[in-house]
Amino acid sequence: MRKILLGVVVFFVLLVVALALAPVLFKDKLRALADAQIAQRVRAKVLYDPANIDVSLLRSFPDMTVNIRELRVIGLDSFSRDTLAYLPNLRVGLDVMSVIRGGAVDIKSIDLERPDLSLRVLKSGLANWDIMISDSAAAAQGQDTSQVHLAIKGWKMTDGRLRYEDLTLPFSMQAAGVNHTGSGDFASNVFDMKSQTTATDLDMTYNGVAYVSNKQLTADVTMNMDLEKSLYTFKDNKIKLNDFPFSFAGAIGLPNEKDITYDLTFKALETDFKTLLSLVPGVYTDKFKNIETSGKVSFDGYYKGTQNELKMPGYGVNLAVTNGQFHYPDLPQAAKNINLKMQVDNPSGYTNNVKVNIPQFHLDLGPNPVDGNIAIDGLEPMRVDGRVKANVNLAEALKVYPVKDLAMRGQLFVDGTAKGIYSKTQMPVVNAAIRLTNGFVKSAQFPAPIENINLNGTVVNTTGQVNDTQINLPQFRMVLEGEPLEGRLTAHNIDKPVFDTNVRGTVDLTKITKIFPLKDMTVTGRVAGDIAAKGNMADVEAGRYQNVVASGTVKATNVTYKSKDLPQGVRISSGTATFNNNQINLQSLNGTAGSSDFAASGTVSNYLGYLFTPGQSLKGTMTVNSRNFNVNEWMVDEVSAKPTATVASGKAPTKAEGVLQIPKYFDLVLNSRVDNVTYDNLKLTNVAGTVTVRDETARLSNMTFNTLGGNFGTTGSYSSKNLAHPTFDFGLNIKNLDIQNAFSAFTTLKRLVPLAAQVEGVFGTNFSMSGEMRPDMMPNLATLTGKGVVDVVKAAINQSEVMSKIASLTTLPELKTLVVVNKAIQANIVNGNLVVQPFDLTVGDVKMTFGGSNSLAGALAYVTALNVPTGKLGNAVTSKLTQLTGVKDIQGTDRVTLGLNIGGTMTSPVVQLTSGSVKDQGKAIVTNVVKTKLADALIGLTQKKQAAQDSTNRTDAAAEHTAEEKARITAEKARLEAQARLKNQVGQGLNTLFGKPKPRPKAADPAPADSTK
């Protein structure tokens, strides 16, 4: 017994020691394994802090748990700005013995807390979750694929958020509050996977239409997994949206890399009408359990076929409601006689071949009946045959269906029929009328009511031709807090509408947007107007504005506009505009744009074409003045074109982030004067000149301003046509600018002219320059080209390492300090290199010629020639000159020319004596070297342009190949789609000839699997 007790004690001691030492023994090993696997097997950026990794044996003993906090997975290339997954807490359970043995590590469980997953598929079909490199691909690269083994038996997600967007369909889904658990033996080839899922908020949208919104989801699913055959079969399952339960039967297969096969049926599990009612927006609330209902529901459908780049599975849905009724106990009336039949069928799977048939729909809202029916065959073109008729007292409707904090009155009458083909060239025969009498609306969001709403309109088309559609709204009127708004509208010829309208009244934008909210926009203020327009849209598009009658006056007071694309906001404190068919005359328009104020006046033309015809530009000439304008607020991201300025604090940014975007469809001449401009960290004053905005390019004419104590003038252009690579072409005229101020303020000057770091004084320049802007609106120095003259008014070079080494080498101490007065220096910028043309200096009795170049990396390649009295040179220099010139009695000459090369960098220059002559030929020496430097730079620029052109050609060829492939797929889809439609039509014809078509059988329970097969 003593030995047994001793053994137990030893076991527990060892266990406690192991638990305590696990983090120390295995943390570094597991982290190294994870880093290696990520580097070899994951095509994405995986970001985490090593300090956020913990290893424990206590949490899941006898397994080992690795806990990683704050992990992010970010895509590459097209998804480089997308976070695929943010995992605040990821726990991975490992088989402890596999870790100790040192072979393949078995992953047994995964636990996610509050994950945020964003899955996207681009129109090209590229998916952001396709980041794992397969075993076969990794093995082909010689990588070890046996380090990690999936032996998962369970997984869990708590309070997750899931977003899915597929632009190829287009379909999107969002789910919040997702809790999910699952279990299954992935170490086996065939097993049952069981999962339980709940979500508190589920939304699904297809092609811009929300089909599921704010629904609760519960799903219990058991699926047989055959990993060897890639076949996944639904077994017991129950899925519930709100209170509506349904189930699936059938299987999903992955027979090859390109195809997914579906053979699924689904059906409702209950027939109580109340379950379907729970899906109606606004019904599923805390009061839902008290609603009195009756009636029956049947629901079933199928999803069958192959999905690949050419095909989609066929599908069908049958829904019927019989004698439905619901009644809220605290309301006096019920919705009764709800009868609905709907069939959706598309066996070919091609969206354009879908058929929707609702032969019956009826609803009594209290004593008010609503009837309708519709049949739709195809989408492009769409065959339509339908009718809707309702005559509803809105006050009576609210006695049936409650809408919180909403009051309505008035009689709404709708009666419309449509039969025929709807396409780009055809229109169904339509006869529709709508009438609202004595309307009244009041809500909690905006307690001031809209009163006396009266409108009476018709839409009629008797021929089926698009241009024969007549829209007539002879009068509409409403009163909003005592302010009337009224008008009329008639129009026909839908393709090129002929219109006659006028609107008059005062609109309080704050009130209107509370009643009719604008997504991601805030608009306030008051606009009063009296506007009339009559004419033909064909004349507008052709610019024949003389044929359009338009007139009116608009006054704006305290109008503000802010959106996610314009977070800075624009405010018009006051403004008046009168207009006719040709132009708008702006008078005294005052306001602010972000933190910048402006006052504008002038004329704007082609406003009708700009508003109504895509691609036409707004034209005009205006005078714009401002006291303070901050350019930094108007920068946008060079890829997304979204604003980069942060305005949440209410303060204007002090530094530029992003590039400046020029509006695409503006053709404006702006005569501007601004007292103070903030651009990046520069303050410009007395800015004046003309800016012409056209074709996404701003052209500056005679623009002048002051900054850093100097006077600037510029003429040139800036273009944002290619937002990722905006270009500029400027001519600069600068006078009396302090060299050190310029060197401190301009990054470009620091990189291009590093020699200026040790120069003090004043200069001016007349220089032309062109190139690209970087994403921070600074010039991309590698793309710069330019030339001009730098006028040094007066400058002193002090404590220069270059000049100190020249003075030491030549034994001429006076060269340590240079003073330059009234010197014009010519320079070129080629391929990002500064090339300085030769210029002369005199220092005492030393004549000096200087020239050369430096690169963006700071490498110096200058040459200088010194013509000096021979007697001033030391013995070492004299001896070296004797070797270079071949003149034995060098001291017998009066003067001598020394040629020096200056290399290295500014901080570590290298000065060498390379030539000598008894002739005064310093100018020729330097000129020949500078010519060589300039020629080399031009050759480099030519090679760079050729490389860029070759890259563009390759990109164009790849894009052309992709476009051809897309066109082939589109054509093949169209062929198969037409073939499926023709086959369906032939089948319908035969059924009509030989008897009534047989109804599609309802979904049946799946037959047991054929084990012999």
Side-chain angles (χ1 to χ4, degrees):
M1 179 63 69
R2 216 178 304 167
K3 290 182 179 180
I4 294 174
L5 290 175
L6 182 61
V8 171
V9 170
V10 170
F11 171 76
F12 277 107
V13 169
L14 291 175
L15 178 62
V16 171
V17 171
L19 293 175
L21 292 179
V24 177
L25 295 175
F26 300 112
K27 181 177 179 179
D28 290 342
K29 173 185 176 181
L30 292 174
R31 181 192 161 197
L33 176 62
D35 287 344
Q37 288 295 306
I38 289 169
Q40 294 178 7
R41 307 298 298 277
V42 180
R43 290 189 298 259
K45 290 184 288 186
V46 181
L47 308 178
Y48 67 93
D49 186 343
N52 287 339
I53 298 181
D54 298 317
V55 178
S56 171
L57 280 169
L58 293 173
R59 178 179 289 273
S60 57
F61 185 81
D63 292 333
M64 178 181 290
T65 298
V66 179
N67 188 27
I68 306 175
R69 299 183 301 278
E70 305 291 333
L71 184 143
R72 284 178 170 81
V73 181
I74 301 173
L76 301 175
D77 301 325
S78 300
F79 302 108
S80 61
R81 293 169 179 261
D82 293 347
T83 297
L84 168 61
Y86 168 61
L87 308 179
N89 217 344
L90 165 64
R91 284 190 291 272
V92 181
L94 307 177
D95 179 78
V96 66
M97 293 309 298
S98 69
V99 177
I100 294 173
R101 285 194 305 266
V105 174
D106 291 344
I107 298 178
K108 300 185 69 175
S109 66
I110 296 176
D111 190 348
L112 304 173
E113 287 186 5
R114 294 176 290 107
D116 192 340
L117 308 176
S118 180
L119 310 178
R120 297 184 65 213
V121 182
L122 302 181
K123 287 186 177 181
S124 62
L126 193 65
N128 70 339
W129 67 81
D130 186 16
I131 61 174
M132 298 302 298
I133 298 174
S134 66
D135 285 350
S136 58
Q141 297 175 8
Q143 297 173 0
D144 187 355
T145 61
S146 62
Q147 291 296 304
V148 176
H149 176 234
L150 289 179
I152 294 176
K153 294 184 181 296
W155 57 91
K156 182 179 180 182
M157 177 192 297
T158 305
D159 193 19
R161 182 178 181 185
L162 174 65
R163 292 183 296 275
Y164 175 79
E165 181 183 31
D166 190 337
L167 298 179
T168 63
L169 295 177
F171 170 81
S172 64
M173 179 188 74
Q174 294 192 45
V178 179
N179 293 290
H180 172 83
T181 59
S183 62
D185 186 4
F186 276 79
S188 302
N189 284 328
V190 180
F191 60 94
D192 282 350
M193 184 185 74
K194 298 181 179 180
S195 67
Q196 295 81 38
T197 307
T198 62
T200 58
D201 190 348
L202 177 67
D203 299 299
M204 293 184 183
T205 301
Y206 175 74
N207 202 23
V209 179
Y211 288 92
V212 175
S213 181
N214 298 322
K215 298 296 184 289
Q216 295 183 13
L217 170 71
T218 303
D220 294 331
V221 178
T222 299
M223 182 178 286
N224 180 260
M225 310 286 286
D226 189 332
L227 300 184
E228 203 168 75
K229 297 180 180 178
S230 295
L231 184 65
Y232 313 101
T233 305
F234 283 98
K235 298 179 74 175
D236 298 330
N237 67 88
K238 181 179 180 180
I239 302 169
K240 184 188 286 187
L241 281 178
N242 286 352
D243 263 15
F244 183 72
F246 58 98
S247 68
F248 283 94
I252 301 173
L254 302 173
N256 52 59
E257 292 184 357
K258 294 184 177 180
D259 295 338
I260 306 176
T261 61
Y262 299 86
D263 190 356
L264 301 175
T265 59
F266 50 89
K267 64 180 179 179
L269 295 176
E270 295 183 22
T271 60
D272 189 348
F273 173 64
K274 188 173 184 178
T275 63
L276 181 65
L277 190 65
S278 72
L279 300 181
V280 177
V283 171
Y284 196 68
T285 64
D286 293 338
K287 296 181 179 180
F288 181 73
K289 60 181 179 293
N290 299 321
I291 297 178
E292 302 167 359
T293 66
S294 63
K296 297 297 180 182
V297 170
S298 66
F299 172 79
D300 63 77
Y302 71 95
Y303 193 70
K304 183 175 182 178
T306 301
Q307 177 183 340
N308 54 36
E309 64 179 10
L310 292 174
K311 299 178 181 179
M312 286 293 290
Y315 56 88
V317 176
N318 299 305
L319 172 65
V321 178
T322 306
N323 296 326
Q325 175 179 308
F326 68 88
H327 178 224
Y328 284 84
D330 53 350
L331 291 179
Q333 297 185 15
K336 299 179 293 185
N337 299 325
I338 304 173
N339 288 278
L340 167 68
K341 289 184 179 180
M342 181 181 75
Q343 298 91 36
V344 178
D345 197 26
N346 187 355
S348 72
Y350 295 104
T351 304
N352 198 40
N353 290 350
V354 68
K355 292 185 178 182
V356 180
N357 187 22
I358 302 177
Q360 177 189 3
F361 174 73
H362 178 83
L363 164 67
D364 288 333
L365 288 171
N368 301 296
V370 178
D371 287 282
N373 63 272
I374 188 169
I376 297 174
D377 184 359
L379 295 180
E380 294 181 4
M382 178 189 295
R383 294 182 179 273
V384 179
D385 186 358
R387 178 173 187 176
V388 61
K389 185 175 183 180
N391 193 359
V392 178
N393 185 305
L394 298 178
E396 293 284 336
L398 290 181
K399 295 178 181 179
V400 176
Y401 183 73
V403 180
K404 187 179 179 181
D405 300 322
L406 176 67
M408 291 192 304
R409 293 195 299 269
Q411 191 72 26
L412 175 64
F413 172 81
V414 178
D415 189 359
T417 61
K419 185 174 183 179
I421 296 175
Y422 177 79
S423 68
K424 294 179 180 179
T425 58
Q426 288 180 276
M427 184 92 174
V429 173
V430 175
N431 190 348
I434 182 171
R435 183 169 62 248
L436 177 60
T437 307
N438 297 323
F440 175 96
V441 179
K442 182 179 180 180
S443 68
Q445 288 80 10
F446 183 65
I450 307 176
E451 302 175 280
N452 298 332
I453 307 172
N454 288 278
L455 60 88
N456 185 3
T458 60
V459 179
V460 177
N461 185 306
T462 60
T463 68
Q465 300 299 313
V466 173
N467 288 335
D468 289 338
T469 303
Q470 303 276 344
I471 300 172
N472 187 22
L473 190 62
Q475 182 184 18
F476 65 89
R477 191 177 191 277
M478 66 180 69
V479 176
L480 181 60
E481 280 198 340
E483 297 176 339
L485 178 67
E486 57 185 359
R488 63 177 178 80
L489 167 67
T490 62
H492 66 276
N493 194 357
I494 298 300
D495 187 31
K496 306 284 185 184
V498 178
F499 54 87
D500 185 358
T501 182
N502 73 283
V503 180
R504 55 189 174 275
T506 299
V507 176
D508 189 317
L509 299 175
T510 307
K511 299 172 183 176
I512 288 293
T513 54
K514 285 185 177 180
I515 299 168
F516 306 106
L518 299 173
K519 186 179 180 181
D520 300 323
M521 295 183 215
T522 302
V523 183
T524 66
R526 294 168 62 85
V527 176
D530 188 351
I531 303 168
K534 182 179 182 180
N536 190 324
M537 188 56 68
D539 289 330
V540 173
E541 293 179 358
R544 297 186 294 267
Y545 302 122
Q546 68 277 7
N547 297 337
V548 180
V549 177
S551 63
T553 301
V554 175
K555 294 183 178 180
T557 307
N558 294 325
V559 173
T560 67
Y561 175 83
K562 186 180 289 187
S563 70
K564 65 178 182 180
D565 292 328
L566 193 69
Q568 309 90 336
V570 175
R571 179 178 183 270
I572 299 175
S573 54
S574 63
T576 301
T578 60
F579 62 90
N580 55 34
N581 53 323
N582 186 44
Q583 67 180 24
I584 298 174
N585 185 15
L586 288 177
Q587 305 161 5
S588 62
L589 183 69
N590 297 283
T592 57
S595 63
S596 309
D597 68 279
F598 65 86
S601 61
T603 60
V604 175
S605 60
N606 196 46
Y607 70 94
L608 291 174
Y610 175 72
L611 290 174
F612 296 111
T613 306
Q616 289 203 15
S617 296
L618 185 69
K619 301 179 180 181
T621 301
M622 301 179 66
T623 298
V624 182
N625 297 319
S626 175
R627 292 186 298 274
N628 297 284
F629 200 90
N630 191 332
V631 179
N632 296 341
E633 287 184 300
W634 303 96
M635 302 301 185
V636 301
D637 182 90
E638 75 278 8
V639 175
S640 67
K642 300 296 182 183
T644 57
T646 301
V647 296
S649 63
K651 297 180 180 179
T654 57
K655 189 172 179 61
E657 293 183 14
V659 299
L660 190 63
Q661 185 177 25
I662 308 300
K664 186 172 186 178
Y665 295 115
F666 275 15
D667 187 353
L668 303 174
V669 178
L670 308 176
N671 297 305
S672 307
R673 182 170 184 84
V674 186
D675 296 337
N676 299 282
V677 172
T678 300
Y679 170 60
D680 198 50
N681 56 356
L682 287 176
K683 304 295 182 182
L684 315 181
T685 61
N686 301 321
V687 180
T690 300
V691 181
T692 302
V693 179
R694 182 180 298 128
D695 195 24
E696 297 179 81
T697 302
R699 291 175 174 82
L700 311 181
S701 300
N702 302 319
M703 183 70 68
T704 60
F705 57 90
N706 303 325
T707 189
L708 301 175
N711 303 319
F712 286 69
T714 182
T715 297
S717 65
Y718 165 79
S719 173
S720 62
K721 275 187 177 182
N722 184 345
L723 200 61
H725 301 281
T727 59
F728 67 91
D729 185 354
F730 289 138
L732 290 172
N733 191 336
I734 304 174
K735 295 179 180 178
N736 301 320
L737 184 60
D738 182 86
I739 295 173
Q740 284 304 303
N741 285 346
F743 190 83
S744 299
F746 299 123
T747 305
T748 306
L749 193 62
K750 292 180 182 179
R751 296 284 302 278
L752 280 176
V753 195
L755 294 171
Q758 285 86 36
V759 180
E760 295 182 355
V762 177
F763 78 100
T765 186
N766 197 336
F767 214 94
S768 63
M769 189 183 306
S770 63
E772 290 185 9
M773 289 290 191
R774 295 194 325 232
D776 58 358
M777 259 321 252
M778 292 291 109
N780 181 351
L781 301 182
T783 68
L784 282 186
T785 58
K787 63 179 180 179
V789 177
V790 179
D791 292 314
V792 179
V793 179
K794 185 174 183 180
I797 302 175
N798 300 309
Q799 297 179 342
S800 167
E801 190 71 19
V802 172
M803 297 310 300
S804 294
K805 289 200 172 184
I806 292 176
S808 175
L809 179 64
T810 60
T811 64
L812 299 172
E814 62 266 39
L815 296 181
K816 287 185 178 181
T817 302
L818 296 180
V819 176
V820 182
V821 179
N822 294 330
K823 180 63 63 176
I825 303 171
Q826 291 187 347
N828 296 72
I829 301 173
V830 183
N831 197 22
N833 294 287
L834 177 69
V835 180
V836 179
Q837 300 290 346
F839 64 95
D840 297 327
L841 296 173
T842 301
V843 183
D845 56 0
V846 177
K847 294 189 294 183
M848 185 177 190
T849 302
F850 187 87
S853 69
N854 57 259
S855 69
L856 291 175
L860 305 179
Y862 284 93
V863 63
T864 182
L866 305 175
N867 185 265
V868 299
T870 307
K872 299 187 69 170
L873 298 175
N875 292 333
V877 178
T878 303
S879 175
K880 180 67 173 177
L881 283 173
T882 299
Q883 295 177 8
L884 292 173
T885 61
V887 178
K888 293 183 179 180
D889 186 15
I890 197 74
Q891 291 288 354
T893 60
D894 182 33
R895 299 179 71 87
V896 67
T897 300
L898 291 75
L900 291 87
N901 279 358
I902 304 169
T905 63
M906 278 298 301
T907 56
S908 182
V910 177
V911 180
Q912 295 177 323
L913 178 61
T914 57
S915 65
S917 174
V918 294
K919 298 179 180 178
D920 186 5
Q921 55 184 15
K923 188 83 169 181
I925 294 172
V926 176
T927 299
N928 290 334
V929 172
V930 172
K931 281 182 178 180
T932 302
K933 298 293 182 187
L934 186 58
D936 291 344
L938 288 171
I939 291 172
L941 179 61
T942 302
Q943 291 173 342
K944 181 186 288 187
K945 287 181 177 180
Q946 184 59 49
Q949 183 61 48
D950 292 344
S951 175
T952 301
N953 291 340
R954 287 193 298 269
T955 302
D956 290 346
E960 186 176 343
H961 174 73
T962 302
E964 288 178 354
E965 181 63 15
K966 285 183 177 179
R968 184 192 68 79
I969 292 173
T970 301
E972 183 64 10
K973 276 185 177 179
R975 186 187 69 80
L976 294 172
E977 180 180 326
Q979 189 180 72
R981 174 174 280 269
L982 180 61
K983 182 178 179 181
N984 188 41
Q985 290 173 345
V986 171
Q988 286 181 337
L990 292 175
N991 281 329
T992 304
L993 182 62
F994 295 109
K996 294 183 178 180
K998 296 180 181 180
R1000 177 177 296 277
K1002 291 187 176 180
D1005 293 330
D1010 185 344
S1011 59
T1012 305
K1013 184 183 295 184

